[in-house]
Amino acid sequence: MDWNEIMKPRITMCLTKDGQFEMSVNEAGRDELIELLNGLDRKHEHFHMAPEEFEHDCAVAEIPYRTTDRVLSWGKVLFRPDDWDREHFSHVTTENPEGST
């Protein structure tokens, strides 16, 4: 393998054995994720993450880095402007700590 070869994007989402969420990305995966995040706005407020064969917005890898990791194959990233959250989910805003722990 030529290590200078450009690899396809690799984004792996896992829960560790301790229950911690980890997302591992290679260079191409990082670039793709940043592009998708930068594309979020009020008109295009989410994108889906899924295994490559499902052809969603963002392909995720399904090979864990550690044998104890639990791979997360599906996900959705939501853009949540503060004014939307104040109106629809006020319990998550710092302006209204009602219901927070």
Side-chain angles (χ1 to χ4, degrees):
M1 168 183 238
D2 179 1
W3 293 107
N4 294 320
E5 168 185 335
I6 295 178
M7 298 288 289
K8 71 179 186 173
R10 186 175 59 258
I11 300 169
T12 308
M13 301 183 297
C14 291
L15 289 179
T16 68
K17 67 180 178 180
D18 299 323
Q20 181 175 323
F21 173 77
E22 287 186 352
M23 180 183 291
S24 301
V25 298
N26 67 354
E27 295 92 336
R30 175 202 58 207
D31 294 347
E32 180 177 321
L33 196 54
I34 288 171
E35 184 177 328
L36 285 165
L37 288 168
N38 281 334
L40 293 174
D41 59 26
R42 290 172 179 272
K43 231 178 157 176
H44 303 97
E45 83 291 343
H46 73 276
F47 63 85
H48 296 94
M49 302 176 83
E52 186 174 16
E53 63 266 20
F54 292 94
E55 299 180 358
H56 280 285
D57 307 311
C58 183
V60 297
E62 294 188 284
I63 300 171
Y65 278 79
R66 293 173 295 273
T67 57
T68 55
D69 287 347
R70 187 175 127 227
V71 173
L72 302 174
S73 300
W74 302 87
K76 185 175 183 179
V77 177
L78 301 155
F79 178 64
R80 298 296 310 167
D82 288 338
D83 60 317
W84 290 1
D85 279 347
R86 278 192 295 274
E87 182 178 348
H88 301 288
F89 298 98
S90 61
H91 64 282
V92 302
T93 63
T94 57
E95 293 89 354
N96 183 0
E98 181 182 317
S100 63
T101 56

